[in-house]
Amino acid sequence: GAGVSQTPSNKVTEKGKYVELRCDPISGHTALYWYRQSLGQGPEFLIYFQGTGAADDSGLPNDRFFAVRPEGSVSTLKIQRTERGDSAMYLCASSLSGTSGKDEQFFGPGTRLTVL
Amino acid sequence: SQQGEEDPQALSIQEGENATMNCSYKTSINNLQWYRQNSGRGLVHLILIRSNEREKHSGRLRVTLDTSKKSSSLLITASRAADTASYFCATDSSYKLIFGSGTRLLVRP
């Protein structure tokens, strides 16, 4: 079956622009996660959805970042007024239920965002 | 903030040799997972070890967990050039994963 997919695979934008990054989780997975990975570092948690609601958005760096999952499947990460420091790989993952210690998280290939 | 720290940061070995990577973490965990990442792309799940387990095997992979020392190790036996990648440990104290900074493994043919 299909894994987690993310589009676009690469996004180059100019400072100050708005971008949207899309994640299609594995069908039937209720939990969805966004992570951000800077060069040479491990991924860092941004936000977690359980169904349609953001159960934990404590990792979002500031109010320029926002994510939605209106129908409980596809999610969009939105970044307003992009800054050069937002340049990173944005990874999406999904899991069956999000229950602690029980679920493997399956990762998508990521979107590499470059802000010029 | 990062929970785990991998050691070494980089490792270069000859094909056929074994590779050992270590991970230390700070807080109590439910489980610890190891992931692999090729060329800065998506993460591939390798193995999960629960906090009540001490050792786990999967093919050429062997993972140990010492909760008293808050550390884990990943051993890849009989390495292949295709094992060249970055390897990350991740702890799961609730629903989110907290990753270390990774070990970059180079297997020379």
Side-chain angles (χ1 to χ4, degrees):
Chain A
V4 178
S5 62
Q6 292 185 246
T7 54
S9 56
N10 286 284
K11 176 70 177 178
V12 180
T13 191
E14 293 180 343
K15 180 175 178 296
K17 299 289 188 183
Y18 168 82
V19 296
E20 289 190 352
L21 311 179
R22 176 187 167 108
C23 172
D24 278 89
I26 293 173
S27 177
H29 281 193
T30 62
L32 186 146
Y33 315 78
W34 284 98
Y35 294 84
R36 180 168 73 169
Q37 185 179 23
S38 299
L39 200 61
Q41 299 296 315
E44 292 188 315
F45 170 80
L46 293 178
I47 187 169
Y48 157 61
F49 286 91
Q50 184 58 255
T52 61
D56 183 350
D57 64 357
S58 61
L60 295 178
N62 51 60
D63 61 6
R64 295 186 298 104
F65 288 73
F66 189 71
V68 295
R69 194 186 185 201
E71 297 178 0
S73 56
V74 170
S75 176
T76 305
L77 178 65
K78 309 180 181 194
I79 310 174
Q80 298 177 320
R81 304 183 304 280
T82 51
E83 300 177 357
R84 293 194 179 88
D86 298 335
S87 296
M89 174 74 82
Y90 289 82
L91 294 163
C92 176
S94 71
S95 67
L96 193 58
S97 69
T99 306
S100 173
K102 297 186 184 302
D103 273 352
E104 176 185 341
Q105 292 186 24
F106 295 86
F107 281 80
T111 293
R112 184 171 296 284
L113 175 66
T114 303
V115 182
L116 301 176
Chain B
S1 62
Q2 310 244 282
Q3 154 87 299
E5 291 295 329
E6 278 93 341
D7 169 49
Q9 290 186 337
L11 180 61
S12 178
I13 60 173
Q14 200 71 37
E15 198 166 32
E17 294 179 337
N18 295 342
T20 300
M21 290 160 266
N22 302 296
C23 166
S24 60
Y25 57 92
K26 297 173 185 173
T27 63
S28 61
I29 61 172
N30 291 316
N31 61 58
L32 185 143
Q33 304 181 55
W34 284 89
Y35 284 83
R36 164 184 159 149
Q37 185 176 43
N38 288 79
S39 302
R41 299 308 295 182
L43 293 155
V44 175
H45 184 265
L46 295 177
I47 196 165
L48 180 153
I49 186 165
R50 303 200 187 283
S51 58
N52 61 353
E53 297 176 312
R54 291 296 167 259
E55 186 171 313
K56 202 162 183 179
H57 297 254
S58 177
R60 293 184 296 113
L61 305 180
R62 173 178 167 250
V63 169
T64 62
L65 179 65
D66 186 336
T67 53
S68 66
K69 295 181 180 177
K70 291 188 169 57
S71 67
S72 174
S73 69
L74 171 67
L75 169 68
I76 304 174
T77 60
S79 63
R80 305 165 182 168
D83 294 329
T84 293
S86 291
Y87 292 82
F88 295 91
C89 68
T91 54
D92 175 3
S93 59
S94 58
Y95 41 78
K96 60 187 175 187
L97 296 176
I98 303 176
F99 289 85
S101 51
T103 292
R104 292 181 300 282
L105 174 65
L106 171 64
V107 181
R108 303 186 305 275

